[in-house]
Amino acid sequence: MSELNAIPANLSSNLTIDTVVVAAGVGKRFGSQMPKQYTHIGSQTVLQHTIAALSKVQQLSSCYLVISEEDTIAKTLNFSMPIKWVIGGKERMNSVFNAVQTIWQQYQNPLSDKTFNDQAFSDKAFNEKASHHAYDNHWVLIHDAARPCVNPSDIEKLITQTTQQFLQQLQQEQKQESAGGLLAVPVRDTVKQIIHAQDKVLAQKTLDRSQLWLAQTPQIFPLATLYDYLTQAIEQMIAFTDEASLFEHFGKQPLLVEGSHSNIKLTFPEDLQFAQVYLAKP
């Protein structure tokens, strides 16, 4: 019997994956008065293209869309999957926390598994049983609004590989070292570590690019552990640039699933030209 076939049917099927799209930023480096997620590519905004890509993944049925409190555009748009609205925070970390907290709270009703029907789960009351058993089938997939060129097949690969590895470790009672995953791509170019000398930037040494990958989104993590780590990060004011770095802070090693170099994050105006060409493909 293969390792995959050894996974209990109640764990390997019927995974619940809640999708979070972070669209609360203002995109200062994009050089536009309008937030970059509302820039048009053809007849649709960047944000609409991003959610359209997610809608093509069968495991994802709805989206928690995180927007700023001052946003007057998002709710005027039509999207290709059902939207649940979340107000973002000051930083990305706060925005993701707000969405994950909303997701966590919706699962506070008694679970169908009788083993856990009498357990009380609160925002502050986490335990190993809840984290590693009661919510093993509940995951959160987080994506940046400014990545409209993500390939749906890469998302499907990320979901499959990450959840299968987690459930295999769980079945074999192994320590959960990975506990999540992210799309990433190997670095292609030569990478220099720099040093500042007065008003100049100098190359100090060349890094081994075979050991370097570029992180992307989506990133996917077990709901209970993600909420636990986010809660601690907020309370302890731990800064992180993505959810994978948060898990790394707590000693986990997220699985890198190779994605596509086309899955760029729109950061500068010239990035829009690439996205226009990519999204125009039939």
PDB file of all heavy atoms in Angstrom, residues 5-33:
ATOM      1  N   ASN A   5      -2.190   6.046  -0.249  1.00  0.00           N
ATOM      2  CA  ASN A   5      -3.348   5.197  -0.004  1.00  0.00           C
ATOM      3  C   ASN A   5      -3.532   4.893   1.470  1.00  0.00           C
ATOM      4  O   ASN A   5      -4.616   4.515   1.900  1.00  0.00           O
ATOM      5  CB  ASN A   5      -3.220   3.883  -0.781  1.00  0.00           C
ATOM      6  CG  ASN A   5      -3.355   4.107  -2.282  1.00  0.00           C
ATOM      7  OD1 ASN A   5      -3.978   5.060  -2.709  1.00  0.00           O
ATOM      8  ND2 ASN A   5      -2.768   3.216  -3.070  1.00  0.00           N
ATOM      9  N   ALA A   6      -2.448   5.053   2.256  1.00  0.00           N
ATOM     10  CA  ALA A   6      -2.538   4.776   3.689  1.00  0.00           C
ATOM     11  C   ALA A   6      -3.203   5.901   4.454  1.00  0.00           C
ATOM     12  O   ALA A   6      -3.544   5.745   5.612  1.00  0.00           O
ATOM     13  CB  ALA A   6      -1.141   4.523   4.259  1.00  0.00           C
ATOM     14  N   ILE A   7      -3.396   7.062   3.818  1.00  0.00           N
ATOM     15  CA  ILE A   7      -4.033   8.188   4.488  1.00  0.00           C
ATOM     16  C   ILE A   7      -5.512   7.880   4.664  1.00  0.00           C
ATOM     17  O   ILE A   7      -6.189   7.491   3.715  1.00  0.00           O
ATOM     18  CB  ILE A   7      -3.869   9.482   3.671  1.00  0.00           C
ATOM     19  CG1 ILE A   7      -2.389   9.824   3.539  1.00  0.00           C
ATOM     20  CG2 ILE A   7      -4.616  10.639   4.310  1.00  0.00           C
ATOM     21  CD1 ILE A   7      -2.127  10.987   2.637  1.00  0.00           C
ATOM     22  N   PRO A   8      -6.057   8.022   5.854  1.00  0.00           N
ATOM     23  CA  PRO A   8      -7.472   7.761   6.067  1.00  0.00           C
ATOM     24  C   PRO A   8      -8.348   8.590   5.137  1.00  0.00           C
ATOM     25  O   PRO A   8      -8.053   9.762   4.865  1.00  0.00           O
ATOM     26  CB  PRO A   8      -7.700   8.171   7.530  1.00  0.00           C
ATOM     27  CG  PRO A   8      -6.350   8.100   8.154  1.00  0.00           C
ATOM     28  CD  PRO A   8      -5.378   8.446   7.079  1.00  0.00           C
ATOM     29  N   ALA A   9      -9.430   7.983   4.654  1.00  0.00           N
ATOM     30  CA  ALA A   9     -10.283   8.658   3.677  1.00  0.00           C
ATOM     31  C   ALA A   9     -10.854   9.951   4.222  1.00  0.00           C
ATOM     32  O   ALA A   9     -11.046  10.918   3.489  1.00  0.00           O
ATOM     33  CB  ALA A   9     -11.409   7.713   3.247  1.00  0.00           C
ATOM     34  N   ASN A  10     -11.142  10.014   5.527  1.00  0.00           N
ATOM     35  CA  ASN A  10     -11.752  11.218   6.085  1.00  0.00           C
ATOM     36  C   ASN A  10     -10.780  12.388   6.146  1.00  0.00           C
ATOM     37  O   ASN A  10     -11.170  13.525   6.327  1.00  0.00           O
ATOM     38  CB  ASN A  10     -12.312  10.949   7.482  1.00  0.00           C
ATOM     39  CG  ASN A  10     -11.229  10.640   8.491  1.00  0.00           C
ATOM     40  OD1 ASN A  10     -10.257   9.951   8.163  1.00  0.00           O
ATOM     41  ND2 ASN A  10     -11.402  11.113   9.708  1.00  0.00           N
ATOM     42  N   LEU A  11      -9.471  12.097   5.981  1.00  0.00           N
ATOM     43  CA  LEU A  11      -8.482  13.170   5.968  1.00  0.00           C
ATOM     44  C   LEU A  11      -8.077  13.544   4.549  1.00  0.00           C
ATOM     45  O   LEU A  11      -7.859  14.722   4.254  1.00  0.00           O
ATOM     46  CB  LEU A  11      -7.243  12.760   6.773  1.00  0.00           C
ATOM     47  CG  LEU A  11      -7.423  12.604   8.277  1.00  0.00           C
ATOM     48  CD1 LEU A  11      -6.097  12.214   8.914  1.00  0.00           C
ATOM     49  CD2 LEU A  11      -7.952  13.870   8.921  1.00  0.00           C
ATOM     50  N   SER A  12      -7.946  12.541   3.673  1.00  0.00           N
ATOM     51  CA  SER A  12      -7.431  12.798   2.329  1.00  0.00           C
ATOM     52  C   SER A  12      -8.492  13.378   1.402  1.00  0.00           C
ATOM     53  O   SER A  12      -8.180  13.859   0.315  1.00  0.00           O
ATOM     54  CB  SER A  12      -6.858  11.515   1.714  1.00  0.00           C
ATOM     55  OG  SER A  12      -7.863  10.526   1.625  1.00  0.00           O
ATOM     56  N   SER A  13      -9.762  13.331   1.796  1.00  0.00           N
ATOM     57  CA  SER A  13     -10.822  13.894   0.973  1.00  0.00           C
ATOM     58  C   SER A  13     -11.572  14.964   1.759  1.00  0.00           C
ATOM     59  O   SER A  13     -11.426  15.091   2.968  1.00  0.00           O
ATOM     60  CB  SER A  13     -11.783  12.788   0.528  1.00  0.00           C
ATOM     61  OG  SER A  13     -12.411  12.190   1.655  1.00  0.00           O
ATOM     62  N   ASN A  14     -12.377  15.716   1.025  1.00  0.00           N
ATOM     63  CA  ASN A  14     -13.230  16.731   1.644  1.00  0.00           C
ATOM     64  C   ASN A  14     -12.459  17.779   2.436  1.00  0.00           C
ATOM     65  O   ASN A  14     -12.902  18.223   3.493  1.00  0.00           O
ATOM     66  CB  ASN A  14     -14.282  16.071   2.548  1.00  0.00           C
ATOM     67  CG  ASN A  14     -15.193  15.153   1.768  1.00  0.00           C
ATOM     68  OD1 ASN A  14     -15.585  15.469   0.648  1.00  0.00           O
ATOM     69  ND2 ASN A  14     -15.506  14.007   2.344  1.00  0.00           N
ATOM     70  N   LEU A  15     -11.303  18.152   1.938  1.00  0.00           N
ATOM     71  CA  LEU A  15     -10.571  19.243   2.564  1.00  0.00           C
ATOM     72  C   LEU A  15     -11.366  20.542   2.403  1.00  0.00           C
ATOM     73  O   LEU A  15     -11.944  20.796   1.352  1.00  0.00           O
ATOM     74  CB  LEU A  15      -9.198  19.415   1.928  1.00  0.00           C
ATOM     75  CG  LEU A  15      -8.150  18.338   2.204  1.00  0.00           C
ATOM     76  CD1 LEU A  15      -6.920  18.590   1.343  1.00  0.00           C
ATOM     77  CD2 LEU A  15      -7.772  18.318   3.665  1.00  0.00           C
ATOM     78  N   THR A  16     -11.391  21.332   3.446  1.00  0.00           N
ATOM     79  CA  THR A  16     -11.986  22.665   3.375  1.00  0.00           C
ATOM     80  C   THR A  16     -10.861  23.674   3.218  1.00  0.00           C
ATOM     81  O   THR A  16      -9.996  23.777   4.086  1.00  0.00           O
ATOM     82  CB  THR A  16     -12.794  22.976   4.650  1.00  0.00           C
ATOM     83  OG1 THR A  16     -13.873  22.046   4.754  1.00  0.00           O
ATOM     84  CG2 THR A  16     -13.352  24.390   4.598  1.00  0.00           C
ATOM     85  N   ILE A  17     -10.857  24.383   2.103  1.00  0.00           N
ATOM     86  CA  ILE A  17      -9.818  25.371   1.844  1.00  0.00           C
ATOM     87  C   ILE A  17     -10.479  26.728   1.667  1.00  0.00           C
ATOM     88  O   ILE A  17     -11.210  26.954   0.702  1.00  0.00           O
ATOM     89  CB  ILE A  17      -8.982  25.021   0.599  1.00  0.00           C
ATOM     90  CG1 ILE A  17      -8.370  23.630   0.739  1.00  0.00           C
ATOM     91  CG2 ILE A  17      -7.899  26.073   0.369  1.00  0.00           C
ATOM     92  CD1 ILE A  17      -7.636  23.156  -0.506  1.00  0.00           C
ATOM     93  N   ASP A  18     -10.236  27.611   2.617  1.00  0.00           N
ATOM     94  CA  ASP A  18     -10.742  28.976   2.522  1.00  0.00           C
ATOM     95  C   ASP A  18      -9.680  29.850   1.866  1.00  0.00           C
ATOM     96  O   ASP A  18      -8.496  29.769   2.204  1.00  0.00           O
ATOM     97  CB  ASP A  18     -11.086  29.509   3.914  1.00  0.00           C
ATOM     98  CG  ASP A  18     -12.321  28.845   4.486  1.00  0.00           C
ATOM     99  OD1 ASP A  18     -13.404  29.027   3.913  1.00  0.00           O
ATOM    100  OD2 ASP A  18     -12.206  28.127   5.499  1.00  0.00           O
ATOM    101  N   THR A  19     -10.124  30.675   0.940  1.00  0.00           N
ATOM    102  CA  THR A  19      -9.218  31.511   0.157  1.00  0.00           C
ATOM    103  C   THR A  19      -9.228  32.946   0.669  1.00  0.00           C
ATOM    104  O   THR A  19     -10.296  33.517   0.894  1.00  0.00           O
ATOM    105  CB  THR A  19      -9.642  31.510  -1.319  1.00  0.00           C
ATOM    106  OG1 THR A  19      -9.827  30.174  -1.756  1.00  0.00           O
ATOM    107  CG2 THR A  19      -8.583  32.191  -2.171  1.00  0.00           C
ATOM    108  N   VAL A  20      -8.038  33.501   0.837  1.00  0.00           N
ATOM    109  CA  VAL A  20      -7.890  34.896   1.241  1.00  0.00           C
ATOM    110  C   VAL A  20      -7.102  35.627   0.158  1.00  0.00           C
ATOM    111  O   VAL A  20      -6.027  35.185  -0.247  1.00  0.00           O
ATOM    112  CB  VAL A  20      -7.152  35.022   2.591  1.00  0.00           C
ATOM    113  CG1 VAL A  20      -6.827  36.484   2.898  1.00  0.00           C
ATOM    114  CG2 VAL A  20      -7.970  34.409   3.715  1.00  0.00           C
ATOM    115  N   VAL A  21      -7.657  36.727  -0.325  1.00  0.00           N
ATOM    116  CA  VAL A  21      -6.929  37.588  -1.263  1.00  0.00           C
ATOM    117  C   VAL A  21      -6.702  38.929  -0.579  1.00  0.00           C
ATOM    118  O   VAL A  21      -7.655  39.577  -0.126  1.00  0.00           O
ATOM    119  CB  VAL A  21      -7.700  37.783  -2.577  1.00  0.00           C
ATOM    120  CG1 VAL A  21      -7.030  38.852  -3.448  1.00  0.00           C
ATOM    121  CG2 VAL A  21      -7.779  36.470  -3.339  1.00  0.00           C
ATOM    122  N   VAL A  22      -5.443  39.329  -0.496  1.00  0.00           N
ATOM    123  CA  VAL A  22      -5.074  40.559   0.201  1.00  0.00           C
ATOM    124  C   VAL A  22      -5.039  41.703  -0.810  1.00  0.00           C
ATOM    125  O   VAL A  22      -4.192  41.738  -1.700  1.00  0.00           O
ATOM    126  CB  VAL A  22      -3.711  40.413   0.904  1.00  0.00           C
ATOM    127  CG1 VAL A  22      -3.402  41.655   1.728  1.00  0.00           C
ATOM    128  CG2 VAL A  22      -3.689  39.166   1.785  1.00  0.00           C
ATOM    129  N   ALA A  23      -5.982  42.631  -0.664  1.00  0.00           N
ATOM    130  CA  ALA A  23      -6.101  43.748  -1.618  1.00  0.00           C
ATOM    131  C   ALA A  23      -6.267  45.072  -0.898  1.00  0.00           C
ATOM    132  O   ALA A  23      -6.939  45.981  -1.389  1.00  0.00           O
ATOM    133  CB  ALA A  23      -7.282  43.501  -2.552  1.00  0.00           C
ATOM    134  N   ALA A  24      -5.646  45.191   0.274  1.00  0.00           N
ATOM    135  CA  ALA A  24      -5.816  46.405   1.076  1.00  0.00           C
ATOM    136  C   ALA A  24      -4.687  47.410   0.875  1.00  0.00           C
ATOM    137  O   ALA A  24      -4.710  48.497   1.443  1.00  0.00           O
ATOM    138  CB  ALA A  24      -5.925  46.042   2.558  1.00  0.00           C
ATOM    139  N   GLY A  25      -3.681  47.058   0.069  1.00  0.00           N
ATOM    140  CA  GLY A  25      -2.538  47.943  -0.118  1.00  0.00           C
ATOM    141  C   GLY A  25      -2.822  49.077  -1.086  1.00  0.00           C
ATOM    142  O   GLY A  25      -3.791  49.047  -1.851  1.00  0.00           O
ATOM    143  N   VAL A  26      -1.930  50.063  -1.061  1.00  0.00           N
ATOM    144  CA  VAL A  26      -2.089  51.224  -1.942  1.00  0.00           C
ATOM    145  C   VAL A  26      -1.093  51.221  -3.091  1.00  0.00           C
ATOM    146  O   VAL A  26      -1.223  52.014  -4.027  1.00  0.00           O
ATOM    147  CB  VAL A  26      -1.951  52.546  -1.156  1.00  0.00           C
ATOM    148  CG1 VAL A  26      -3.062  52.655  -0.134  1.00  0.00           C
ATOM    149  CG2 VAL A  26      -0.589  52.640  -0.464  1.00  0.00           C
ATOM    150  N   GLY A  27      -0.084  50.325  -3.054  1.00  0.00           N
ATOM    151  CA  GLY A  27       0.845  50.194  -4.174  1.00  0.00           C
ATOM    152  C   GLY A  27       1.631  51.446  -4.482  1.00  0.00           C
ATOM    153  O   GLY A  27       1.660  51.927  -5.616  1.00  0.00           O
ATOM    154  N   LYS A  28       2.315  51.998  -3.488  1.00  0.00           N
ATOM    155  CA  LYS A  28       3.032  53.256  -3.653  1.00  0.00           C
ATOM    156  C   LYS A  28       4.087  53.191  -4.748  1.00  0.00           C
ATOM    157  O   LYS A  28       4.306  54.159  -5.484  1.00  0.00           O
ATOM    158  CB  LYS A  28       3.689  53.662  -2.330  1.00  0.00           C
ATOM    159  CG  LYS A  28       2.687  54.002  -1.226  1.00  0.00           C
ATOM    160  CD  LYS A  28       3.402  54.360   0.065  1.00  0.00           C
ATOM    161  CE  LYS A  28       2.406  54.681   1.173  1.00  0.00           C
ATOM    162  NZ  LYS A  28       3.074  54.990   2.455  1.00  0.00           N
ATOM    163  N   ARG A  29       4.778  52.035  -4.888  1.00  0.00           N
ATOM    164  CA  ARG A  29       5.856  51.929  -5.876  1.00  0.00           C
ATOM    165  C   ARG A  29       5.331  51.802  -7.300  1.00  0.00           C
ATOM    166  O   ARG A  29       6.102  51.879  -8.251  1.00  0.00           O
ATOM    167  CB  ARG A  29       6.753  50.734  -5.537  1.00  0.00           C
ATOM    168  CG  ARG A  29       7.628  50.935  -4.313  1.00  0.00           C
ATOM    169  CD  ARG A  29       8.430  49.696  -3.995  1.00  0.00           C
ATOM    170  NE  ARG A  29       7.560  48.597  -3.556  1.00  0.00           N
ATOM    171  CZ  ARG A  29       8.003  47.370  -3.253  1.00  0.00           C
ATOM    172  NH1 ARG A  29       9.286  47.085  -3.367  1.00  0.00           N
ATOM    173  NH2 ARG A  29       7.165  46.435  -2.846  1.00  0.00           N
ATOM    174  N   PHE A  30       4.036  51.590  -7.449  1.00  0.00           N
ATOM    175  CA  PHE A  30       3.475  51.390  -8.782  1.00  0.00           C
ATOM    176  C   PHE A  30       3.365  52.697  -9.561  1.00  0.00           C
ATOM    177  O   PHE A  30       3.194  52.695 -10.775  1.00  0.00           O
ATOM    178  CB  PHE A  30       2.102  50.718  -8.668  1.00  0.00           C
ATOM    179  CG  PHE A  30       1.644  50.062  -9.937  1.00  0.00           C
ATOM    180  CD1 PHE A  30       2.297  48.941 -10.425  1.00  0.00           C
ATOM    181  CD2 PHE A  30       0.569  50.567 -10.650  1.00  0.00           C
ATOM    182  CE1 PHE A  30       1.877  48.324 -11.600  1.00  0.00           C
ATOM    183  CE2 PHE A  30       0.135  49.962 -11.820  1.00  0.00           C
ATOM    184  CZ  PHE A  30       0.796  48.840 -12.295  1.00  0.00           C
ATOM    185  N   GLY A  31       3.456  53.815  -8.844  1.00  0.00           N
ATOM    186  CA  GLY A  31       3.492  55.104  -9.518  1.00  0.00           C
ATOM    187  C   GLY A  31       2.170  55.553 -10.093  1.00  0.00           C
ATOM    188  O   GLY A  31       2.121  56.262 -11.103  1.00  0.00           O
ATOM    189  N   SER A  32       1.067  55.157  -9.466  1.00  0.00           N
ATOM    190  CA  SER A  32      -0.252  55.547  -9.947  1.00  0.00           C
ATOM    191  C   SER A  32      -1.075  56.070  -8.785  1.00  0.00           C
ATOM    192  O   SER A  32      -0.903  55.648  -7.641  1.00  0.00           O
ATOM    193  CB  SER A  32      -0.957  54.348 -10.589  1.00  0.00           C
ATOM    194  OG  SER A  32      -2.298  54.655 -10.899  1.00  0.00           O
ATOM    195  N   GLN A  33      -1.979  56.997  -9.084  1.00  0.00           N
ATOM    196  CA  GLN A  33      -2.849  57.513  -8.024  1.00  0.00           C
ATOM    197  C   GLN A  33      -3.853  56.459  -7.566  1.00  0.00           C
ATOM    198  O   GLN A  33      -4.301  56.456  -6.426  1.00  0.00           O
ATOM    199  CB  GLN A  33      -3.583  58.759  -8.529  1.00  0.00           C
ATOM    200  CG  GLN A  33      -2.666  59.954  -8.747  1.00  0.00           C
ATOM    201  CD  GLN A  33      -3.434  61.194  -9.153  1.00  0.00           C
ATOM    202  OE1 GLN A  33      -4.587  61.123  -9.571  1.00  0.00           O
ATOM    203  NE2 GLN A  33      -2.792  62.351  -9.031  1.00  0.00           N
TER     204      GLN A  33
END
